[in-house]
Amino acid sequence: QALKFGAALHPLKISLMLRGRENHYWELASEKMTTFVKSLDEIYKLEGHIKRSGNTFTAILKPIK
């Protein structure tokens, strides 16, 4: 879906919510988000940085024109 949105030049918001025992593994979740964002480097540019707010990681991506 991210590639489809990128082809149409739409911005993308990625959220990863941790539940229950998953909260203990926030380092792993951060690595997963970073890996996913880097996989979209050819289409999207990260706006700011990946933010952690409580149990949710959020990244805003803007398409490269």
Side-chain angles (χ1 to χ4, degrees):
Q1 283 298 97
L3 297 175
K4 185 171 128 182
F5 288 136
L9 298 176
H10 294 296
L12 187 66
K13 179 179 179 182
I14 303 168
S15 297
L16 176 65
M17 188 162 69
L18 304 176
R19 297 183 188 172
R21 293 182 185 176
E22 293 174 352
N23 287 312
H24 295 290
Y25 301 104
W26 62 269
E27 299 96 354
L28 181 62
S30 178
E31 290 174 20
K32 292 281 187 183
M33 283 286 287
T34 303
T35 303
F36 183 70
V37 168
K38 285 183 180 179
S39 72
L40 298 173
D41 270 349
E42 295 177 6
I43 302 168
Y44 285 104
K45 183 174 113 178
L46 181 63
E47 183 177 280
H49 59 278
I50 298 172
K51 299 174 187 169
R52 179 180 179 216
S53 177
N55 64 341
T56 305
F57 288 88
T58 306
I60 304 292
L61 302 172
K62 296 288 181 178
I64 297 173
K65 295 177 182 174

